[in-house]
Amino acid sequence: MEAEISASVADRSDSRVRNSGKLAIAAILILGALIIFAATALGLAAPFYPYLDIINHFRLPILLSTGGLFIVAWFARIRSLTVPVAIIAGINMVLAAAPLAYLPSSAPQASLRIATFNVWVGNKDLEGVLDFIKQSGADIVVLQEVDARLEAQLVPALLTIYPSVTSCARRNCGLVLLSKTPSLKAGYSDRTRHEPPLIWATFSSARGKAFTVTGLHLAYPFQPDWQVSQARFLGERFRNVTGTQILVGDFNLTPFSWKLNRLIAETELRRHATFGATWPSHKFAPLVLLDNLLATPDVKSAAASYGRSGYGSDHRPMIFDVAFD
C-alpha cells in the first residue's frame, strides 16, 4: 500500500512538472508569436511610416523565427498555438515571395560581368580589396564609399586591368566606375537629400548594343525620409529613360523593402538578387542583402554570387553575370 501511495505521489509530481514545463513553453511561444505578429503588422505600415521599412529588411529572419515557433509548438503538442503561428508564418511567406514577381529572365551564359563593392571609407585592408577586384574577372567594377585616400591607393593599382576610369571620389559622391573597355560617354552627380550620388557610363557590347551602367549609393536605412526622396528621384529618372539600363551598387534596401519594390514597380526594372546577404560582414554573419543590381527586362541573369566577408569592409562584394537579348 505504501509503495502504491508513493508511486501515485511521484506520478502526480511528474505530471505537475510536465504541465509546468508545457505552460512555460506556451508562454514563450505566445510572447514570440505576439512579437512577430506586431513586427509583421508594423512592416505593412511602411508606406505610411517609412521608418518602419527597417522591419521589412529582416523578412527572412522573421520567417525563419516563425517557422521555429511552429516546430516547437507542434512537437510540444500545444495545438492551440499551431494554427495562429501557422497563419503568421503564412503571411510572412507571402510577403517573402512577393519580390519574386520582379525577377529577370535567365540566360545560360553571360556576356558581361559586373562587380559591386562598398569598400567602406575607413577600409585598411586595401590589398584585400585589390585582390578581390583583380580575381573577380569583372568587365566593369562599381565601388562605393571611396574617398580621395582610397582612390589614390586603389585606382592606380588597377589601371593595367581597368584603363577606363570614371570617378567622383573627391566630391560629395564617393563613387568609382572602372571598366576594361572605354566608355562612349560618362558622368556623375553629387549626393543631395533628394538625390543619391550617381556615376554612369555608356558602353557598346560585343554585338554593338549600347547599354548604360549606373552606380549608386542610397541613403542609410536610418535616414528613411532621404531614402523615400532618393528612391522617388530614381523612379522619375528611370521610368521614362530609353535603352538598356543597369543600376548597381549599395541600395541600402533589401528585396523585401517597400521602397525598393515600389521603385521596381514604377520603372519595370528587374532585380538580379533576392536571397542572400551582404551586410554586416565585419563583425557578424551577414543578415540582409543591401547590395543589388536592377536592370531593364532585356538584361538577362546568368548568375549572382557573393564575395567572402572581410576585405576590410562591412559589406560583402557581389558579382553579377548578365547577358543581353
Side-chain angles (χ1 to χ4, degrees):
M1 178 66 71
E2 291 181 359
E4 292 178 357
I5 293 174
S6 297
S8 177
V9 171
D11 289 342
R12 286 197 296 270
S13 178
D14 290 342
S15 178
R16 284 196 296 269
V17 170
R18 286 194 298 270
N19 289 336
S20 297
K22 196 169 185 178
L23 287 173
I25 293 173
I28 294 172
L29 289 173
I30 291 172
L31 178 61
L34 288 174
I35 292 173
I36 293 175
F37 176 78
T40 303
L42 289 172
L44 292 173
F48 310 101
Y49 302 98
Y51 214 107
L52 296 175
D53 210 15
I54 293 174
I55 296 173
N56 295 326
H57 295 332
F58 298 93
R59 179 66 58 210
L60 290 182
I62 289 173
L63 177 58
L64 292 174
S65 299
T66 311
L69 290 179
F70 178 82
I71 292 172
V72 172
W74 181 267
F75 282 100
R77 298 183 178 181
I78 307 176
R79 299 292 186 255
S80 59
L81 290 178
T82 54
V83 173
V85 171
I87 292 173
I88 298 172
I91 294 171
N92 279 281
M93 287 181 66
V94 171
L95 294 173
L100 298 179
Y102 302 115
L103 294 181
S105 301
S106 59
Q109 187 174 356
S111 58
L112 180 71
R113 172 169 285 186
I114 300 175
T116 178
F117 192 6
N118 182 330
V119 297
W120 185 53
V121 69
N123 197 312
K124 299 294 192 296
D125 183 17
L126 300 187
E127 287 300 321
V129 175
L130 290 171
D131 287 344
F132 164 75
I133 296 173
K134 291 176 181 178
Q135 296 173 16
S136 69
D139 302 293
I140 297 171
V141 179
V142 178
L143 304 176
Q144 302 92 48
E145 288 199 28
V146 181
D147 61 5
R149 175 186 70 89
L150 293 177
E151 180 192 44
Q153 296 184 61
L154 292 175
V155 173
L158 295 167
L159 285 176
T160 54
I161 303 175
Y162 300 100
S164 179
V165 179
T166 304
S167 175
C168 56
R170 298 174 186 272
R171 302 173 60 90
N172 185 25
C173 181
L175 303 173
V176 172
L177 192 153
L178 309 171
S179 175
K180 290 181 177 179
T181 58
S183 62
L184 303 177
K185 58 182 179 180
Y188 52 78
S189 59
D190 290 339
R191 180 196 317 272
T192 70
R193 178 185 178 90
H194 302 292
E195 300 180 16
L198 300 177
I199 192 165
W200 61 87
T202 300
F203 301 93
S204 179
S205 70
R207 296 183 178 181
K209 181 183 181 70
F211 64 94
T212 300
V213 175
T214 300
L216 49 75
H217 186 193
L218 264 70
Y220 299 114
F222 292 102
Q223 296 174 310
D225 293 334
W226 285 46
Q227 284 191 329
V228 170
S229 297
Q230 292 179 1
R232 184 178 295 117
F233 167 80
L234 291 175
E236 294 171 353
R237 180 185 178 100
F238 289 96
R239 184 165 50 241
N240 300 316
V241 73
T242 58
T244 300
Q245 302 290 328
I246 297 174
L247 286 72
V248 63
D250 180 2
F251 286 82
N252 271 316
L253 298 170
T254 70
F256 312 103
S257 161
W258 159 73
K259 302 183 193 77
L260 185 62
N261 283 293
R262 187 183 68 171
L263 169 63
I264 293 173
E266 289 178 349
T267 58
E268 298 185 355
L269 297 172
R270 294 294 179 262
R271 186 192 59 259
H272 284 238
T274 302
F275 300 109
T278 57
W279 183 91
S281 69
H282 60 315
K283 294 182 179 180
F284 312 101
L287 291 174
V288 292
L289 178 61
L290 298 182
D291 308 86
N292 221 312
L293 182 148
L294 307 182
T296 45
D298 59 332
V299 180
K300 297 182 178 181
S301 175
S305 57
Y306 305 84
R308 66 169 176 82
S309 297
Y311 300 120
S313 175
D314 58 340
H315 284 248
R316 292 167 69 189
M318 287 199 69
I319 296 174
F320 296 92
D321 292 312
V322 301
F324 302 108
D325 280 344

